[in-house]
Amino acid sequence: MANKVLIVSNSADLHVDLLIPILQAKGCAAFRLDLDAFPRDYQTSQWFAGGVLRQWIRHLPTGVTLDLAEVGAVWSRKPADFSFLSPDLGIQERIYARAETEQSLFGMLYTLDCFWMSHPLALRGAMWKGEQLQRAARMGFLIPASLTSNSPAEVKAFRASFDGPMIFKALSSPNLGGDGLAEADRVNAGVGTTLVDQAMLEQLESVGELACHFQQYIPKQYELRVTIIGERVFAAKIHSQDDQRTAIDSRDMSAAIGYEATVLPDAVRERCLAFVRSYDLPYSALDLIVTPGQDVVFLENNPVGQFLYIEQLIPEFAMLDALADRLIEGCA
């Protein structure tokens, strides 16, 4: 019977650490696949014979084996670089090993005709910030004036096209490529959403190195983090303007600003749900702004966005429990 949950993430994912006991308490078995220990700590087999497919994954340290025919739901949570038995592979050997590992692993996982939260193909389709803005606008959201370009002249023209401040933010990650690096290997701690000042404008030629993303700064009354799990909508009001450290970018967790549960207007709630459904995502987290004039402005969608910090700040949300219920429901 396909009643087990396969969780694909990495060994540092606290979300998974906390979810597995909840699943077990609800009578649902879970198998954890940590990509940063794969394939080093795992064995796999995919065997086609006589029109029949048999495939399994074994976790070597515990000896636990998962028959993939028993998987009813997959939580595709977080990526990580693969690890191999030999720590000293050459450059070409490592490139080949990564490519073959990716082929063998996803060649197995993509055979699973079950509930996914969320399928890698859906996740990839939902990750592109420029496309998100176009889709959001088409679905009735207000969006900031935005430019992504590696042309200094275009950035100058964009800056002159509106009054008020302009911001820069990374499209991929505010950690500037440091996500998968050891602390000693990072040359920059990252950059959050940043107001573009005169000194930065005088260095616009550096934009020619790679395309950068700029937006008109939108004044905020407060921000919203809207987490969607299935058909459930968890809207957190973030009082980001109460502290200077979070006025531009609310992700500075050193500031003790208020987070509270709120109820979205019906039209905004339905628009958020429709936006996430349009990507075939059963989970996602949207970032919105509410202006002093009560306009709701779309910033971005995070298909595998973090939610644990929201639950810690607003315990009544119980999103881990809701996520477990949705995975179990998917197994049914």
Side-chain angles (χ1 to χ4, degrees):
M1 182 178 179
N3 58 2
K4 294 182 179 178
V5 174
L6 170 61
I7 301 173
V8 182
S9 190
N10 60 65
S11 59
D13 192 348
L14 181 59
H15 292 68
V16 179
D17 296 342
L18 297 175
L19 182 75
I20 288 178
I22 296 174
L23 287 170
Q24 292 171 337
K26 292 175 179 286
C28 181
F31 184 93
R32 179 171 183 163
L33 176 61
D34 286 325
L35 295 175
D36 58 328
F38 186 87
R40 185 195 64 212
D41 292 349
Y42 295 84
Q43 285 182 340
T44 65
S45 178
Q46 184 183 52
W47 192 331
F48 292 94
V52 176
L53 169 63
R54 293 187 295 115
Q55 46 190 0
W56 50 259
I57 303 172
R58 179 176 298 123
H59 184 232
L60 295 174
T62 61
V64 175
T65 300
L66 175 70
D67 182 340
L68 267 65
E70 298 177 339
V71 175
V74 180
W75 187 23
S76 182
R77 167 63 192 154
K78 282 291 183 181
D81 287 336
F82 298 131
S83 292
F84 302 98
L85 285 174
S86 299
D88 55 351
L89 294 175
I91 295 175
Q92 184 172 349
E93 291 174 317
R94 180 166 290 276
I95 291 172
Y96 175 69
R98 285 174 176 168
E100 288 296 286
T101 298
E102 188 173 50
Q103 276 284 344
S104 64
L105 176 61
F106 289 99
M108 294 177 68
L109 297 184
Y110 280 20
T111 68
L112 297 176
D113 184 15
C114 65
F115 174 74
W116 283 77
M117 183 181 282
S118 300
H119 197 284
L121 296 178
L123 291 173
R124 184 161 181 80
M127 68 182 289
W128 311 107
K129 297 300 195 299
E131 189 279 334
Q132 288 182 17
L133 290 171
Q134 181 193 45
R135 184 176 302 220
R138 285 178 173 174
M139 297 182 74
F141 281 106
L142 297 175
I143 65 168
S146 304
L147 172 73
T148 304
S149 178
N150 67 341
S151 165
E154 279 290 283
V155 180
K156 290 177 183 176
F158 177 70
R159 179 66 191 88
S161 68
F162 56 83
D163 295 325
M166 179 173 77
I167 61 168
F168 161 83
K169 62 181 180 181
L171 289 168
S172 55
S173 166
N175 295 322
L176 303 184
D179 305 75
L181 296 177
E183 191 70 33
D185 295 327
R186 295 179 186 175
V187 296
N188 191 296
V191 59
T193 302
T194 304
L195 284 177
V196 178
D197 59 18
Q198 187 59 37
M200 295 172 69
L201 288 172
E202 292 171 359
Q203 300 178 43
L204 276 184
E205 292 305 314
S206 61
V207 168
E209 187 72 31
L210 78 164
C212 297
H213 183 61
F214 301 93
Q215 288 186 325
Q216 180 181 13
Y217 175 72
I218 304 298
K220 307 170 187 178
Q221 180 185 165
Y222 57 87
E223 299 180 47
L224 292 168
R225 177 75 165 194
V226 180
T227 305
I228 293 176
I229 302 174
E231 295 299 306
R232 299 185 65 180
V233 178
F234 302 88
K237 179 187 287 189
I238 305 172
H239 295 275
S240 59
Q241 304 310 289
D242 290 352
D243 192 297
Q244 189 61 34
R245 289 170 291 179
T246 54
I248 305 301
D249 191 330
S250 65
R251 291 172 293 187
D252 187 341
M253 301 307 291
S254 69
I257 58 175
Y259 282 67
E260 63 176 302
T262 190
V263 177
L264 298 176
D266 288 346
V268 175
R269 181 184 185 277
E270 290 305 313
R271 191 173 294 131
C272 289
L273 280 168
F275 182 87
V276 171
R277 288 189 197 117
S278 73
Y279 287 110
D280 197 24
L281 297 172
Y283 172 90
S284 208
L286 289 78
D287 291 324
L288 310 174
I289 284 172
V290 177
T291 71
Q294 300 299 322
D295 290 328
V296 178
V297 180
F298 175 93
L299 291 182
E300 64 181 54
N301 177 48
N302 306 276
V304 288
Q306 306 286 70
F307 66 89
L308 186 58
Y309 76 101
I310 297 290
E311 179 160 339
Q312 290 170 336
L313 292 164
I314 311 177
E316 63 263 35
F317 272 176
M319 287 188 284
L320 280 165
D321 202 67
L323 191 85
D325 288 341
R326 186 63 189 91
L327 289 168
I328 293 169
E329 179 187 340
C331 286

